[in-house]
Amino acid sequence: MTSTAQAGHMLERARWAAAAYADYDATAVTEIVNAVADAAYSAAERFAAEAVAETGMGVVADKVTKNRACSRGIVDYYRGEDFVSPRVDEASKIVELPRPAGVVLALTPTTNPVATVYFKVILALMTRNAVVVAPHPRAKQCSADAARLLAEAAVAAGAPDGIVQVVEEPSIPLVQALMADQRTDVIVATGGTGVVRAAYSSGNPALGVGPGNVPVFVEASADINAAAKRIVDSKAFDNSVLCTNESVLIAEDAIADKLKGALTRAGAHILDEDGARRLRAYMFADGHLNTDVVGRDAAWIAGQAGLRVTPKTRVLIAPFSDVITEEMLAHEKLSPVLGLTTAADAARGIRAARAVVRIGGAGHSAAIHSENPSVITDFAAQVPVLRVSVNVGNSTGSSGLETNLAPSMTIGTGFVGRSSIGENLQPQNLINWARIAYNSDSAVPMGNFAGINPWHSPAGPVPEYPRASNDRNGGASQARTAPRRSTPARSTELGLDALRAELRALVAEELAQLIKR
């Protein structure tokens, strides 16, 4: 079990690595990020299988897709963008210098464990931050294996020792201690409402996200067959563990029967009233979601509820009448189970979607299948979410895998969803920009900053993080490969006093722990 003292050592080591990495230039950072992304991509299949085996959730092939999207896919998406070099705006007479957050504490979920580790580590490295991964206990093995692989790749490409670390044995007290520690510069929380609230109340800056409960409206002008296939594919994708999966399907009356037929042909099984009652009773026996269903396939869930469907059934669709809080099928399900209701016209369909979001998922996302721009605009204006995917499955649409939204495993819900960010988490969320601002008077000249860069491409070996001679556990679980790159010579010259201070802090912490015992 990782102790609180050992966790403190991890943060101290991360702080040391972050300080060193903050002096790396764009060329060095790109080399490290590319090496990590390549290593992650190469292991995508192995970790997808490990995640399903450990958590019992999801579909291996779909997790492979997510792992690849969150490795080379992320790098390709941001290729050409520079989060390291100064930006000079001569017209405004402003120079912007990127300032990394420092130490990022990355909380990762059980539903999308490896993809989220990949995603948060690569974003942290792109922006010259150190990252400590705190995985969900039910996905700790695959998450730790993935984090260690990325740590080794980063260090081998020249990153400082300790730039990527992982909590091997996560626990609530330990994660709370990490969140509250002053050495944590920002928490990036992906998980349930409790985790996100704990992050926000920790006393440290936090980027947290809210839960989804996605309404999807199929309006009369939609291509019905295409809409049905997209919805079923989206619900079946990784057995609906992405928070962007559709939760409640709203069909306009005029096309409802045609849509049901198309859904059945796409692999869905539409339950009758008795089947919906039995499914509801199994999935929400005590008024809360039975977490056994999360990420399980449709046929397994049907069997547990005493329903008979073919093994090839991809999605269960349960009709209900009113979108109200008491209707459990109108709540988030995180499984290939979709609630279905109808609306007389587009205006009522939009109101039904608003009601779904009031029940849960405020600020998150919604989907619409329509060829009518006016209806689409009304839908986006009236449903209180911050991303609306159109004519695409929302699982991969709002997460940016099949749209041009930023690809992300962390979906901000903005003010309406009580989140500090409203967009899909992106690299720029992990940096601030220090601004050099000249006098706006045109008579006052601005200096020539062309070609000036305060960062450097490291040359020579980076020393390993200094550890006490009796420290047997401080880095045993991390990569010990000697890096090929290092901090700049000027940082090495100035670093002796800093290293002495770090060692004194370590000794003081060890003594404090001994006194407590």
Side-chain angles (χ1 to χ4, degrees), residues 377-450:
T377 303
D378 287 345
F379 184 85
Q382 296 180 40
V383 180
V385 296
L386 299 180
R387 52 199 61 75
V388 174
S389 60
V390 180
N391 297 334
V392 65
N394 201 66
S395 284
T396 51
S398 285
S399 60
L401 302 187
E402 282 192 312
T403 62
N404 289 318
L405 294 174
S408 183
M409 290 291 107
T410 301
I411 309 297
T413 57
F415 306 138
V416 68
R418 300 296 186 262
S419 173
S420 56
I421 58 172
E423 66 270 24
N424 291 4
L425 185 73
Q426 301 170 54
Q428 52 261 37
N429 297 126
L430 299 181
I431 52 175
N432 289 148
W433 293 87
R435 291 175 173 85
I436 303 169
Y438 271 75
N439 191 323
S440 61
D441 186 342
S442 60
V444 179
M446 177 183 181
N448 183 4
F449 288 84

Side-chain angles (χ1 to χ4, degrees), residues 494-516:
L494 298 174
L496 188 56
D497 289 341
L499 291 179
R500 287 171 178 160
E502 303 287 2
L503 287 172
R504 284 195 296 270
L506 283 172
V507 171
E509 187 170 1
E510 290 284 3
L511 288 173
Q513 291 299 322
L514 287 172
I515 292 170
K516 289 179 182 178

Side-chain angles (χ1 to χ4, degrees), residues 209 253 271 387 461 468:
V209 299
D253 278 341
L271 301 171
R387 52 199 61 75

